[in-house]
Structure formats: C-alpha cells, structure tokens
Amino acid sequence: MGLLVVKRILLGIGTLIPVFFNLIDFYYTYNKIDFWKNYTIDVGPWCEKSKNIGFMKEKINANSSFIFLWISLYLYYKSYRLRYYNFKNNILHHLPLVGYMYTFINLIHWFGSFLNHSCSCTIGHRINLIGLYMLVTFWFPYYWFRYQFFKNKNPYVKALSIKNKDIVYKGFILWIMTINMALFPITNYNYKNELSELTELGVVVFTFIICLILDYETKQICKNKSISINYNVNSKCILITITTIGLGIVTRKLDIYKIYCYNNSIILVHVFWHVFLSISTLLIFNDAVNEKMQLMNMLPLVNTGETFY
C-alpha cells in the first residue's frame, strides 16, 4: 500500500472518530441521558466540571484527548514510512515492529484518556493510568537495548545489523508487560487519594531520569569507541522533550489548583497538559527515528555484519 493511500486512510480515521463520538454525546445530552449512570464515579480534580448527562461529561477535556489519537496515527505513518527510506544505520529501521508497538500503546493511552474524561468514572481513570504508564515505560527497554547494543558493538565492523529480531521483539514485550504488571496495583488509586497524583507524576519523572542516564552512558560508550551518533534532523529532541514534559506538569498543577480556571472558556488549562504530553511522545520517537550511527575509526572497516542478541 502506497504512502499516499495510507495517509488518506489515517486522515479519514482521525476525522471520523472525533465526529462519531461528538454525535453520540449530542444525542445523549439532547435527550438528557446519563450514559455512564451505572459506573462508579471518580471525578478528576480538574477545572472543568463534570456534567450529569451526556456521553462526554468533561466535553472540552475529552475532545482535547483526540490529540493523542492524532499523534498515534501520525506515529503509525512514520513507522510505516521507514520501509521507504534508507536508514540502515538506525536501530528502529532494523526493528520496525517497535514503532508499531509504540503506536499501539499510544492508542491505548488515547482511549484511556478519552474514556477517563468522558465517564468521570473509576474504570476510565484506571485505563488512563495503564495507558500512561505503558507509554512512559516503553522507552526503558528501548534505551536499555540501545545501551547494550553499543556496549557490545565492534567499532571496526561497519554494518549495523540486528539478527534474531524475534528474540528482541519478545524481549520488548516481556519488559513492558513485566514493568506494567508491577505498576498495575497503583492504578487503583482514585482521584481523592493523595497517592494518585504523587504516583502518577513519580512514574513519569523516574522513568525519564532512568532513560536520560542510559542515554548519557550510551553516548559515553560511543565516544570511547569512536562511534559518532548523528541525527538526520538537526535537533535536540531529548532536551525539548524534557522541556515539554516540564511545561505539561506545570499546566497540570495549575489545573488541579484551579489557577486560571474559567469554566466558560473554550480552552481550559488541562488541554495544554494533553498538548505538551502528546508533543513529548512524538519528539522522543523522532529522536530515535532520526538517530544514525557513524564510525569515526580511520582503520579499514570490515564489511561483514555482526550479530547482537
């Protein structure tokens, strides 16, 4: 399937889904029906007040969650596009299914966020947290694998080759499942529990710190082996990602403490939390996709590939 066809299909999906759910909300709101009346209430501490009727009880926050859907579709497009470009010195080029895994996890996060703001209920909050934790912790196995790869990389072997990819993919899935099974019990905290906000931000910040440490150690190893890590796009995606996450946390706190809280406004502060978080998920993926290895050693290079398990 060509890139243009894929792009049109994704644009269609990204347009139809928001329209579909808004039509459902219009129907239930017009008829004054509470779609979620049989679900346990768990209203978030946000500026936007939860309605008693309709399908999207926090209409603005729920609609702003569609940015996660659009980012997911764009990530799918970027993952699909890898097959058309020659990024042979890029790890994700050799592990294309990792991009699709990340897309799928982003979709889970979108669904959880949308459901959370639509129902203002316990199950929505829990699925939202599961999606968020999967999204954040996804990068731990990637940076760990990247660290191990360059640690074992022979600087005199020219090709970047990853064999036994099935083992690598299974390792990714196993890591993600193990980490999130360990985190699953803390997804049960409701918004009234003080630990809810603390654990949510704690997981995000802690995981980013671990990934930054692994990134630094990897680059130190490459420096010692005369391996240069360059980027097809001249950018500082990691630094911008940290900045956007920081701004997102600030706007989230502003929303919780009802600072700049105007219920009649079309755009609420919580929207910016969604915007900044979605931008950071895209930036960190761009950083991984645009990265390429270049050997700086002046000795003759061996043209055979190497195996990494």
Side-chain angles (χ1 to χ4, degrees):
M1 191 180 296
L3 283 174
L4 183 60
V5 175
V6 171
K7 186 185 294 185
R8 288 175 177 174
I9 292 173
L10 295 176
L11 285 172
I13 293 172
T15 303
L16 290 175
I17 290 179
V19 171
F20 173 74
F21 282 116
N22 273 278
L23 287 174
I24 291 177
D25 180 66
F26 174 79
Y27 172 80
Y28 282 98
T29 302
Y30 181 80
N31 290 283
K32 298 181 179 179
I33 301 171
D34 180 8
F35 183 89
W36 307 103
K37 63 181 179 180
N38 295 322
Y39 290 79
T40 305
I41 296 174
D42 186 15
V43 180
W46 322 120
C47 175
E48 184 176 12
K49 292 182 179 179
S50 180
K51 299 186 300 181
N52 295 321
I53 57 173
F55 181 78
M56 290 190 285
K57 291 193 170 184
E58 299 173 26
K59 193 175 181 70
I60 295 175
N61 288 343
N63 272 303
S64 70
S65 295
F66 286 121
I67 191 170
F68 298 127
L69 170 65
W70 298 329
I71 291 294
S72 300
L73 297 175
Y74 182 65
L75 288 169
Y76 178 86
Y77 175 75
K78 285 185 72 71
S79 299
Y80 186 83
R81 194 178 63 169
L82 281 175
R83 68 177 68 182
Y84 291 93
Y85 292 88
N86 184 18
F87 292 154
K88 290 184 178 179
N89 286 334
N90 175 270
I91 290 177
L92 284 186
H93 176 85
H94 292 271
L95 297 171
L97 291 184
V98 172
Y100 294 120
M101 289 180 198
Y102 188 55
T103 299
F104 179 69
I105 289 172
N106 269 270
L107 284 171
I108 295 174
H109 178 237
W110 158 69
F111 179 73
S113 178
F114 175 73
L115 182 63
N116 184 33
H117 292 298
S118 293
C119 73
S120 295
C121 62
T122 302
I123 186 65
H125 185 198
R126 190 161 203 181
I127 295 175
N128 180 36
L129 288 177
I130 291 171
L132 178 63
Y133 292 160
M134 289 181 71
L135 181 66
V136 174
T137 58
F138 169 88
W139 289 105
F140 172 74
Y142 169 78
Y143 278 102
W144 176 254
F145 172 83
R146 177 171 167 263
Y147 168 78
Q148 291 293 330
F149 177 83
F150 284 109
K151 182 180 178 181
N152 292 280
K153 172 68 182 172
N154 184 341
Y156 300 110
V157 176
K158 184 176 183 179
L160 190 161
S161 178
I162 302 172
K163 297 182 180 180
N164 298 312
K165 294 180 182 180
D166 288 344
I167 296 176
V168 177
Y169 289 138
K170 289 175 182 177
F172 261 88
I173 295 171
L174 183 62
W175 266 108
I176 294 168
M177 289 180 63
T178 302
I179 293 171
N180 285 278
M181 284 177 66
L183 293 173
F184 185 74
I186 64 175
T187 63
N188 200 34
Y189 296 140
N190 58 38
Y191 281 116
K192 291 182 180 179
N193 192 321
E194 293 180 356
L195 292 175
S196 175
E197 180 70 7
L198 181 64
T199 53
E200 187 171 344
L201 292 182
V203 170
V204 173
V205 173
F206 179 76
T207 306
F208 263 90
I209 290 173
I210 295 297
C211 290
L212 285 173
I213 292 172
L214 287 171
D215 181 61
Y216 173 79
E217 292 296 328
T218 301
K219 289 177 179 177
Q220 288 298 114
I221 288 172
C222 290
K223 183 179 179 181
N224 294 334
K225 290 186 174 184
S226 297
I227 299 173
S228 176
I229 295 181
N230 300 317
Y231 296 89
N232 294 312
V233 177
N234 186 19
S235 62
K236 300 289 185 181
C237 287
I238 291 292
L239 295 177
I240 300 174
T241 300
I242 295 170
T243 303
T244 54
I245 283 290
L247 290 172
I249 291 173
V250 170
T251 55
R252 181 187 173 94
K253 289 296 184 181
L254 289 175
D255 191 35
I256 290 174
Y257 293 113
K258 307 297 189 296
I259 301 173
Y260 302 111
C261 178
Y262 304 99
N263 275 306
N264 296 324
S265 176
I266 298 176
I267 299 178
L268 300 173
V269 178
H270 196 79
V271 172
F272 293 100
W273 160 244
H274 288 171
V275 170
F276 286 128
L277 182 59
S278 62
I279 290 174
S280 67
T281 61
L282 177 60
L283 286 174
I284 196 168
F285 183 77
N286 275 341
D287 188 74
V289 167
N290 290 318
E291 181 179 277
K292 62 180 181 179
M293 178 196 73
Q294 181 178 352
L295 299 174
M296 304 300 291
N297 203 298
M298 300 304 293
L299 293 176
L301 298 174
V302 179
N303 288 319
T304 58
E306 64 179 28
T307 302
F308 180 79
Y309 296 94

